[in-house]
Amino acid sequence: MTDGPIMPDSKLGEKLGFTNDLFDGYLFIRGNEIYISAIISRKKGQGNLSKLFNKIEEEGYKIAVPGPMDHMKMILLKKGFLPTMENCHPKHGIDKIDVWRKQYA
């Protein structure tokens, strides 16, 4: 797949379990990483985010989470993610952003 957004219920979205009944928002694919850019779980506390993460990894992608909110940071820490810094595109008006990535053994 080419780089770009992944919408709920799209072909790749369905393959990953990123469906409109479970999530609102979008993912973004860049190379071998899928960015959890702006999503909201429609059914909080039911493990759907964990299932999404697992399916993304099963499909051979790595996960990146830019600028997570505090609740998401807690989830990411439990799942072995750590913050990294990534250069931003000049049009965004900032130089760098924190992007959380899973630390693989």
Side-chain angles (χ1 to χ4, degrees):
M1 173 160 188
T2 60
D3 292 358
I6 303 168
M7 304 307 292
D9 294 330
S10 64
K11 185 175 179 179
L12 183 54
E14 284 187 356
K15 190 173 189 178
L16 299 173
F18 186 61
T19 57
N20 200 36
D21 61 320
L22 301 177
F23 298 99
D24 188 27
Y26 66 94
L27 305 173
F28 194 90
I29 188 169
R30 180 183 298 154
N32 72 334
E33 286 188 306
I34 292 185
Y35 285 69
I36 311 298
S37 298
I39 67 169
I40 297 171
S41 177
R42 294 183 185 267
K43 300 177 182 178
K44 295 183 187 332
Q46 295 186 11
N48 294 315
L49 182 62
S50 290
K51 290 175 191 170
L52 175 64
F53 279 21
N54 291 339
K55 193 64 176 166
I56 288 170
E57 291 177 328
E58 285 173 18
E59 293 296 324
Y61 296 100
K62 293 188 177 181
I63 300 167
V65 184
M69 304 233 312
D70 288 340
H71 180 70
M72 178 64 99
K73 285 179 184 178
M74 298 301 291
I75 293 169
L76 295 173
L77 283 170
K78 289 178 185 176
K79 293 185 175 297
F81 285 72
L82 293 174
T84 64
M85 294 303 290
E86 187 172 296
N87 293 326
C88 289
H89 192 282
K91 74 175 183 174
H92 294 153
I94 54 176
D95 291 331
K96 294 184 182 278
I97 186 170
D98 65 324
V99 178
W100 289 58
R101 290 185 167 89
K102 189 169 184 178
Q103 304 303 300
Y104 296 93

